[in-house]
Amino acid sequence: MSIRVDITRTKMYKELNQEIQNKYFNQLNKKYIHNIDNIYYSCFITNDNEENIRVQKLINDLLECKRQMMQSYEETPFKYGLIYEAKRHATYGLCITSKDRYDIFVDEFYRNEKTPRILIKIRSMPLWIEPIDKVLEETLKTLDKVLSDYNLSAQCTRENRIDYCYHTNYIQNPRKHFKDEVLESTLVTTMKSYGVQGKIKRQFSKTKLTKDYICFGNRKSNNVFIRIYNKTREVIEQGYKAFFIHKWYEHKLISFYDKYCLEYAFEHKNYDKLHTARLNFYLQYGQDKTIKKRILDLLNNEETTRQDIEAFADLIMPKVTIICNIEFETKRKFYYYSDKQINALPLLDNSKDYRLHRLFKIIDNRVIFLNYINHDLMTYEKNSKTCSWWKRLQECKIKSVSSKKDELSREYNKNLNEKLVKRKFINNVASLSVYSDNNDTDFTTDICDVLSNMNDNHTQYGLVSELGVLGEEISSELLRDYQVIKDKKNRLLKNRK
């Protein structure tokens, strides 16, 4: 365990004793963890052809779900907990999904005997908090249930795309780390193209550019596509992968302080809220009363800008640790040319479903493919020696993050997503209160006013009784489809609970 040098130079760090310093700011520096982030695999249906009426019955049922969805603009339940969604992947235009877990794509048309009818995409959350082999088997079992209803069966599977990722706290200044002159002097690769994406920020009349995303290769045509990007920003702004914050803290990539700030920004789905969180941390754990007063004055001043908050936070608080994701997206053609070698690879567990054996051989022995990618396809060298940050990636232990189902991460994900919804609710109540010109009322009063105004006639009732229950039934056009909305949310969120 160690504390970054830049942290030790900050005002807050210096005013704490060593025990508290370690409690708030300790982490494992220059740390890497590896996992598989997405798995796509295709599946052939036994005796699939243009004349197979059982396959056509499945297609017709999915098309009916699609028709219902287009009429109602709502997700349509299918079966076995799956719902129909308006998604497609390449030629696979029909999709049934288990929310936040996996999608089962079906091609409406028979192409040829070499083109699989079905494509399954496994999402990141189950791959990070459950054993990968169990998740793979679950998806195939679900597909088996669906197909069996039509007297069909899954014949075999093959890999389509596998994304290998490394999360690291090594890169704390991507803009400096990936400067053009640095890349030109260290990058060794056979790839022919690259791209950069970032933000343009204005701070005190100065323009500042960030580098949040850099990629190598052509995503549409290459067998391997490599991207390195600010995973912290993605988690905060997308607002639905809270489990990563728990995983990073569990593996000591981030400190207690980082976790506090990330959770606050996540609740607001706003990356810039990290700076407000830094000041809030001082309000809660700092010691200088004068600084606390200055923070309160700053945060309560309506004219305070984001730049003001960031600038003052930089004076007294450490930067929040950035987690970068280094991801290798490998596609079907990448493995196609190694068919004989893959077939000869050993399996860790021969008892697994034989139809998934090829996938398990690739996943169990992925160190072989990763060594090729991060040694031969791309590496970073200085003075004929591998750069330290890439050397650590090469030497990272290749094992899955979760060897058993991680209920703590699931519960953490649920709780933080729940706080995000509550935050939205509070913001919406405040907005409705302002629309009603209730500028000086408290939250309880505003809640009662919102409930009262849900009645179409907007008559004020004493809605909250002494027992805390509603004393008048709420009637509104806005609530006509409330149960439908609630059922939809239940399907949407049940895997996040």
Side-chain angles (χ1 to χ4, degrees):
M1 300 288 282
S2 59
I3 297 174
R4 293 199 317 265
V5 173
D6 62 294
I7 294 175
T8 65
R9 295 170 178 163
T10 60
K11 163 67 177 167
M12 181 171 188
Y13 180 87
K14 291 177 180 178
E15 69 184 33
L16 303 173
N17 63 47
Q18 186 175 2
E19 181 182 355
I20 301 301
Q21 289 171 345
N22 290 334
K23 178 181 177 181
Y24 292 165
F25 301 114
N26 245 331
Q27 63 190 83
L28 289 174
N29 289 330
K30 301 180 180 179
K31 165 86 171 177
Y32 287 75
I33 57 173
H34 164 78
N35 208 57
I36 295 179
D37 208 42
N38 290 289
I39 296 176
Y40 295 68
Y41 73 93
S42 49
C43 183
F44 291 85
I45 297 176
T46 304
N47 298 323
D48 187 15
N49 56 65
E50 291 178 328
E51 287 76 35
N52 192 323
I53 59 175
R54 290 171 294 177
V55 176
Q56 194 56 50
K57 178 65 168 63
L58 167 63
I59 300 299
N60 290 341
D61 285 354
L62 291 173
L63 288 172
E64 174 60 21
C65 286
K66 180 179 181 179
R67 186 191 65 79
Q68 292 178 24
M69 185 209 64
M70 293 179 69
Q71 280 188 340
S72 64
Y73 299 100
E74 298 286 345
E75 295 166 339
T76 305
F78 185 62
K79 57 180 70 177
Y80 304 116
L82 301 170
I83 59 174
Y84 186 90
E85 277 199 337
K87 294 180 183 177
R88 71 176 301 116
H89 184 90
T91 62
Y92 297 88
L94 305 172
C95 177
I96 46 178
T97 183
S98 174
K99 277 292 184 179
D100 291 335
R101 296 186 64 76
Y102 52 88
D103 298 321
I104 300 175
F105 293 95
V106 182
D107 195 332
E108 180 181 349
F109 303 101
Y110 176 78
R111 307 291 170 175
N112 54 63
E113 62 180 12
K114 294 183 178 180
T115 303
R117 177 78 74 155
I118 292 170
L119 177 72
I120 296 178
K121 173 188 177 180
I122 305 177
R123 298 183 174 279
S124 60
M125 188 174 77
L127 295 173
W128 276 84
I129 67 176
E130 300 172 36
I132 291 174
D133 57 343
K134 300 298 183 186
V135 179
L136 268 169
E137 290 189 310
E138 176 195 331
T139 60
L140 190 56
K141 285 178 181 178
T142 302
L143 178 61
D144 282 338
K145 288 179 182 178
V146 171
L147 293 178
S148 67
D149 287 351
Y150 301 88
N151 293 317
L152 297 169
S153 61
Q155 182 179 24
C156 62
T157 68
R158 73 182 186 199
E159 71 286 349
N160 180 272
R161 171 182 147 189
I162 303 174
D163 296 348
Y164 306 107
C165 69
Y166 297 83
H167 288 191
T168 180
N169 59 12
Y170 193 111
I171 304 167
Q172 289 306 301
N173 189 341
R175 182 170 175 266
K176 180 179 179 181
H177 193 91
F178 294 113
K179 288 174 65 174
D180 288 352
E181 52 265 38
V182 173
L183 287 176
E184 288 173 354
S185 63
T186 62
L187 175 63
V188 181
T189 183
T190 58
M191 291 185 156
K192 304 299 183 184
S193 61
Y194 87 107
V196 176
Q197 187 174 335
K199 302 284 186 181
I200 302 173
K201 299 171 66 176
R202 295 285 294 173
Q203 188 163 5
F204 305 121
S205 301
K206 293 183 178 180
T207 299
K208 185 177 180 181
L209 303 178
T210 68
K211 279 190 177 179
D212 295 315
Y213 180 97
I214 184 166
C215 62
F216 301 90
N218 188 316
R219 194 167 191 175
K220 291 185 177 180
S221 62
N222 282 67
N223 300 340
V224 179
F225 180 72
I226 299 173
R227 51 184 173 267
I228 305 171
Y229 62 93
N230 185 340
K231 189 70 177 181
T232 309
R233 179 183 289 277
E234 182 196 70
V235 169
I236 290 172
E237 293 182 343
Q238 289 190 355
Y240 71 93
K241 293 182 179 180
F243 65 91
F244 277 126
I245 300 175
H246 178 266
K247 282 293 181 186
W248 296 337
Y249 186 64
E250 177 187 33
H251 289 273
K252 299 180 174 58
L253 272 74
I254 61 174
S255 66
F256 174 82
Y257 164 73
D258 297 322
K259 181 171 175 284
Y260 175 99
C261 296
L262 291 173
E263 288 174 347
Y264 182 87
F266 181 90
E267 289 175 36
H268 292 80
K269 290 183 68 175
N270 187 334
Y271 192 74
D272 288 330
K273 286 292 183 180
L274 285 173
H275 307 304
T276 306
R278 295 160 71 194
L279 297 183
N280 284 341
F281 189 89
Y282 192 92
L283 286 176
Q284 187 167 348
Y285 299 105
Q287 297 178 357
D288 191 319
K289 293 181 180 179
T290 303
I291 290 179
K292 288 187 177 184
K293 184 179 183 305
R294 289 183 63 186
I295 292 173
L296 288 172
D297 290 342
L298 190 70
L299 297 181
N300 292 329
N301 188 338
E302 293 181 357
E303 296 183 0
T304 297
T305 64
R306 178 198 61 79
Q307 290 90 343
D308 296 330
I309 293 172
E310 181 179 358
F312 191 67
D314 286 344
L315 289 176
I316 61 172
M317 302 299 294
K319 299 281 190 182
V320 176
T321 300
I322 293 173
I323 302 299
C324 282
N325 183 24
I326 304 171
E327 188 167 271
F328 305 138
E329 178 184 310
T330 61
K331 303 176 184 179
R332 165 65 185 153
K333 285 187 178 180
F334 176 73
Y335 302 99
Y336 177 80
Y337 298 110
S338 303
D339 274 347
K340 291 183 179 179
Q341 293 90 329
I342 292 172
N343 291 335
L345 290 173
L347 273 172
L348 294 181
D349 187 348
N350 286 305
S351 67
K352 304 295 184 185
D353 192 315
Y354 72 93
R355 295 170 297 176
L356 292 169
H357 276 191
R358 180 178 170 87
L359 267 169
F360 284 130
K361 285 183 176 183
I362 292 172
I363 292 169
D364 292 347
N365 299 279
R366 60 187 179 272
V367 65
I368 297 172
F369 305 103
L370 287 170
N371 282 343
Y372 167 75
I373 294 171
N374 60 46
H375 284 81
D376 301 327
L377 186 61
M378 174 180 284
T379 187
Y380 294 81
E381 295 179 356
K382 190 171 184 179
N383 300 324
S384 301
K385 291 185 178 180
T386 304
C387 295
S388 174
W389 72 281
W390 198 253
K391 186 71 173 176
R392 286 177 180 267
L393 180 146
Q394 293 174 336
E395 295 175 350
C396 179
K397 292 183 179 179
I398 304 301
K399 61 180 181 179
S400 299
V401 169
S402 290
S403 58
K404 59 182 180 180
K405 198 167 186 177
D406 186 351
E407 293 298 343
L408 283 177
S409 290
R410 184 179 294 277
E411 185 67 16
Y412 179 89
N413 196 64
K414 167 188 173 293
N415 291 338
L416 203 51
N417 279 315
E418 187 177 307
K419 290 180 73 175
L420 175 63
V421 173
K422 288 178 179 177
R423 179 76 64 181
K424 289 180 182 177
F425 174 71
I426 292 169
N427 290 340
N428 288 335
V429 169
S431 297
L432 287 169
S433 177
V434 171
Y435 279 122
S436 300
D437 294 324
N438 295 334
N439 298 323
D440 300 318
T441 50
D442 60 16
F443 180 71
T444 303
T445 303
D446 290 340
I447 284 285
C448 293
D449 186 65
V450 168
L451 293 175
S452 298
N453 286 323
M454 290 306 292
N455 289 281
D456 289 330
N457 57 15
H458 288 211
T459 303
Q460 296 294 325
Y461 296 97
L463 286 175
V464 182
S465 72
E466 293 179 0
L467 297 176
V469 297
L470 294 181
E472 179 71 27
E473 182 179 355
I474 299 174
S475 174
S476 172
E477 280 293 310
L478 295 172
L479 295 174
R480 182 182 61 185
D481 298 323
Y482 179 73
Q483 194 56 50
V484 173
I485 296 170
K486 193 172 180 180
D487 290 342
K488 176 183 175 182
K489 292 297 182 183
N490 180 50
R491 296 193 298 269
L492 177 67
L493 300 173
K494 67 179 181 179
N495 286 323
R496 300 185 190 176
K497 293 180 180 179

